[in-house]
Amino acid sequence: MTPTADKASRHGSVARVGAWLSGDGRFERSRLLRAGAATLVSSLVAVLVIRAVARSVVTVPASFTALRTSSVITLTVLGVIAATGACLVLNRRVSRPISTFRRIALVALAISFIPDIAIWASHSHDASAKTVIPLMLMHVAVGSLCLLILPTLGRETRDDDIVASSPPSAVPGSQ
């Protein structure tokens, strides 16, 4: 790849991320609640798989409660409910709730690492990289699923969205 093509490719990637973060759209309450349920189910599957893999590779001390099934499930449920609730609140309070949600969710994901890093740094409850990194991976999994599913499935549909996705014969006046 030439330096010019490489620069253009990087610029295109940055532009796509910028468009994704600033994308317009609003949430539709009923669609968002279904999207929240889908996000919850997929998030629970993801964190339980990560937990199972971590526990099969590492002996987790009994004192390290963060990787207990009940802890993982409880915090995942609370996180997805909070994200879905944030979408509902943003939909009422801001003009661009989807882009605002994406920005807040990315910041929240970064902040969610602070307790994990603190546990790791303090070595409390025999914490080590082998026990804390799976927690961080769970945060990334749930955060990614919230960022993907809630705005995608929870977005209100507009007439132009329906027309754009319809076959030509279904569009009025296109025969």
Side-chain angles (χ1 to χ4, degrees):
M1 188 179 293
T2 66
T4 305
D6 185 43
K7 184 176 179 182
S9 174
R10 280 186 302 210
H11 178 68
S13 296
V14 170
R16 282 190 297 275
V17 169
W20 181 78
L21 283 172
S22 64
D24 286 330
R26 301 191 62 76
F27 294 105
E28 183 179 308
R29 182 179 169 82
S30 62
R31 291 174 58 92
L32 181 61
L33 295 177
R34 288 191 301 270
T39 304
L40 180 58
V41 169
S42 58
S43 294
L44 287 170
V45 168
V47 297
L48 291 173
V49 166
I50 292 168
R51 179 189 176 279
V53 169
R55 292 188 65 91
S56 71
V57 174
V58 177
T59 302
V60 178
S63 60
F64 193 74
T65 60
L67 279 176
R68 287 187 183 159
T69 304
S70 60
S71 297
V72 169
I73 290 173
T74 301
L75 292 173
T76 300
V77 169
L78 291 174
V80 173
I81 288 172
T84 305
C87 293
L88 289 168
V89 170
L90 290 170
N91 213 42
R92 284 193 228 161
R93 305 259 167 116
V94 299
S95 62
R96 300 173 72 181
I98 290 179
S99 61
T100 304
F101 169 73
R102 287 179 172 145
R103 292 171 192 270
I104 291 171
L106 287 170
V107 171
L109 176 58
I111 290 170
S112 76
F113 293 130
I114 293 172
D116 297 339
I117 294 168
I119 291 170
W120 189 354
S122 70
H123 300 291
S124 62
H125 307 293
D126 299 320
S128 67
K130 293 176 184 177
T131 56
V132 174
I133 289 175
L135 295 176
M136 293 175 155
L137 290 173
M138 289 179 198
H139 290 222
V140 171
V142 174
S144 297
L145 289 166
C146 286
L147 281 162
L148 175 69
I149 296 172
L150 292 174
T152 303
L153 298 182
R155 166 178 263 143
E156 69 182 8
T157 55
R158 299 179 300 219
D159 290 339
D160 56 343
D161 290 339
I162 295 168
V163 170
S165 65
S166 300
S169 61
V171 178
S174 66
Q175 297 174 355

